[in-house]
């Protein structure tokens, strides 16, 4: 197996990873950015046949291309960490090892999906999941869509669906009117966000509104929502639900990086003022350190990139910007904290692990994640607990164990590269 080497390896080409690479590039260091998506941009600037990239996304992509010492490997996943400063990677063609002097983790976040009756009916997706599908070319023109859950991502998903010709018939936000109004009132501190909020405003947005169930057989037919004291049923073709974001900490955990909940109750990679993790030469930036939006990810990425090449002075110049967006993140967490009523959405027969068909009632008596896995097969299926693990953490407070390799499904030939250094070609 081939062994390559770089000065700086960045995992994730979202806003954080792109900013880190561009900040570090003037040093002349050899920089490799890997990402499992087909093109740089991360979640917010996801590309595809149905996507229109905003100018900011183009600006960052152009900046990556301008630097001859940045190599972007798209469609590339991390499979394992065979030694202290080496990652086993795989793309569509090959598997190979990449040895690094410095590593920056910019692995972003994923949606929190929570189970409720009918969440497995075809046509129910995540809110960000719907965005990704539309950007990938899913036709939704003329469809009636209900978007439910929590946070500003609901409005972003609604905007994407509307632009693609769908009719968004309801946006159901679980947070209270007071919480959302407080958030809106705080936005003038971040004028760009205030403008964004105005452009995303939607007449069908309702607060204190929670999903009860989705009805349908082979396709969504309607959704039942609890709005304050009453229930309403809305006919629709599609339901998109997102209950906030969960930082992607798995790679960092596998390497041994410490975690923190930072007072939010959500586990994220712990970093210091230089974005350094608890491991030497390993930094982290963006939403793997806690969710807070693309501006925070860009500021953190720049600091991590500069700190990784030893330019502490320049890194400090970005601290004020980061603090500004840390405050925005804190406001987001306060305003859109999930109410405990969301824990009561699943009924006894509601599947929590949809890969292995494990209902809520089968998990209620388990003592923790390992018990649920060993005795109920929860998390043993194709997604390996990526969906139900987060749900179980919210519903039961179970902490998932440290991930083990392979981090993602991999070809046998790639896994054979873990056998030992004897069969590595050095380049
Ligand atoms: C589904 C979804 C949709 C979103 N849509 C919006 C939106 O419309 N507007 C908005 O303001 N915010 C949106 N967000 C929030 C958004 O994620 C952030 O604001 C911003 O993109 C965070 O930047 P980041 O660089 O930290 O992470 P991301 O943008 O998430 O980038 C992380 C990148 O790392 C890659 N990656 C992760 N692990 C690995 C691995 N092991 N190997 C290889 N690659 C890996 C991912 O594929 C991804 O491309 C969305 C979030 C999610 C989860």
């Amino acid at each position: 197996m081939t062994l390559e080497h770089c000065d700086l390896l960045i995992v994730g080409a979202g806003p954080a990873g792109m900013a880190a690479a561009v900040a570090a590039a003037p040093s002349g260091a050899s920089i490799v950015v890997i990402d499992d998506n087909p093109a740089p941009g991360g979640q917010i600037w996801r590309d595809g046949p149905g996507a229109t990239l905003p100018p900011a996304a183009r600006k960052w992509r152009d900046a990556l291309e301008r630097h001859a010492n940045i190599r972007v490997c798209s469609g590339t996943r991390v499979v394992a960490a065979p030694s202290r400063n080496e990652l086993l990677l795989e793309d569509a063609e090959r598997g190979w090892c990449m040895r690094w002097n410095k590593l920056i983790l910019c692995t972003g976040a994923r949606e929190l999906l929570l189970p409720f009756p009918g969440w497995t009916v075809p046509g129910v997706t995540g809110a960000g999941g719907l965005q990704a599908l539309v950007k990938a070319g899913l036709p939704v023109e003329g469809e009636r869509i209900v978007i439910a859950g929590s946070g500003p991502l609901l409005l972003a998903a609604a905007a994407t669906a509307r632009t693609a010709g769908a009719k968004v018939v309801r946006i159901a936000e679980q947070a209270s009117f007071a919480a959302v109004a407080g958030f809106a009132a705080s936005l003038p501190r971040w004028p760009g966000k205030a403008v964004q909020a105005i452009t995303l405003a939607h007449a069908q947005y309702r607060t204190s509104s929670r999903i009860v169930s989705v009805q349908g057989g082979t396709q969504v037919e309607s959704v039942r929502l609890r709005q304050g004291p009453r229930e309403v049923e809305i006919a629709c073709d599609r339901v998109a639900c997102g209950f906030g974001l969960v930082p992607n900490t798995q790679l960092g955990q596998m390497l041994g990086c410490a975690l923190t909940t930072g007072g939010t109750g959500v586990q994220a990679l712990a970093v210091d003022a230089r974005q350094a993790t608890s491991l030497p030469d390993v930094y982290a930036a963006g939403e793997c350190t806690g969710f807070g939006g693309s501006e925070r990810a860009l500021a953190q990425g720049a600091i991590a990139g500069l700190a990784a090449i030893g330019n502490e002075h320049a890194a400090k110049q970005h601290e004020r910007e980061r603090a500004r967006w840390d405050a925005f993140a804190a406001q987001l967490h306060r305003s859109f904290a999930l109410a405990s009523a969301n824990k009561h959405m699943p009924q006894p027969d509601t599947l929590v692990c949809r890969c292995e068909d494990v209902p809520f009632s089968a998990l209620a008596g388990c003592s923790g994640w390992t018990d649920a896995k060993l005795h109920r097969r929860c998390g043993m299926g194709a997604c390996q607990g990526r969906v139900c693990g987060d749900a179980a953490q919210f519903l039961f407070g179970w902490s998932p164990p440290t991930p083990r390799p392979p981090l993602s499904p991999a070809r046998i030939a790639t896994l054979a590269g873990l056998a030992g250094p004897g069969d590595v070609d050095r380049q």
Side-chain angles (χ1 to χ4, degrees), residues 108-310:
R110 61 189 178 279
E111 274 187 290
L112 174 62
L113 304 172
L114 295 177
F116 51 81
W119 77 300
T120 54
V121 173
V124 181
T125 62
L130 174 67
Q131 266 192 318
L133 288 167
V134 170
K135 289 179 182 178
L138 177 80
V140 291
E141 191 164 358
E143 287 191 359
R144 299 158 302 168
I145 301 185
V146 171
I147 300 179
S150 199
L153 183 53
L154 304 187
L155 289 167
T160 305
R162 252 187 324 179
T163 306
K167 186 165 186 224
V168 177
V169 290
R170 181 59 45 92
I171 304 174
E173 165 61 60
Q174 60 89 43
S176 67
F177 176 77
V180 175
F183 180 70
S186 74
L187 286 182
R189 289 172 65 193
W190 305 278
K193 290 288 174 194
V195 172
Q196 207 181 5
I198 291 165
T199 58
L200 292 178
H202 197 286
Q204 289 299 326
Y205 188 81
R206 300 285 185 281
T207 52
S208 297
S209 186
R210 192 162 52 76
I211 201 153
V212 175
S213 62
V214 165
Q215 283 67 237
T218 54
Q219 185 61 36
V220 170
E221 287 165 11
S222 68
V223 60
R224 197 180 288 272
L225 299 168
R226 176 170 293 284
Q227 281 181 193
R230 63 193 183 100
E231 273 191 20
V232 292
E233 186 158 346
I234 300 176
C236 58
D237 308 301
R238 217 172 259 288
V239 177
C241 291
F243 296 86
L245 301 181
V246 183
N248 288 328
T249 57
Q250 294 91 337
L251 175 56
Q253 281 180 272
M254 199 172 79
L255 293 169
C257 297
L259 299 179
T260 177
T261 57
T264 64
V266 181
Q267 285 193 329
L269 295 178
V271 287
D272 67 11
R274 300 159 54 245
Q275 299 296 137
T277 69
S278 59
L279 291 184
D281 302 326
V282 181
Y283 301 77
E287 295 202 320
C288 58
T289 70
F291 66 85
S294 58
E295 296 86 353
R296 177 172 173 272
L298 287 168
Q300 286 193 337
I303 293 173
L306 291 164
I309 56 157

Side-chain angles (χ1 to χ4, degrees), residues 12-15 18 35 37 39-47 53 57 61 64:
M18 294 200 277
D35 194 292
N37 277 332
Q43 298 288 4
I44 182 169
W45 298 324
R46 181 183 285 274
D47 208 348
L53 281 189
R61 272 203 195 177
L64 284 182

Side-chain angles (χ1 to χ4, degrees), residues 3 185 199 314 328 347 389:
L3 175 68
T199 58
F328 176 71
Q347 296 301 304

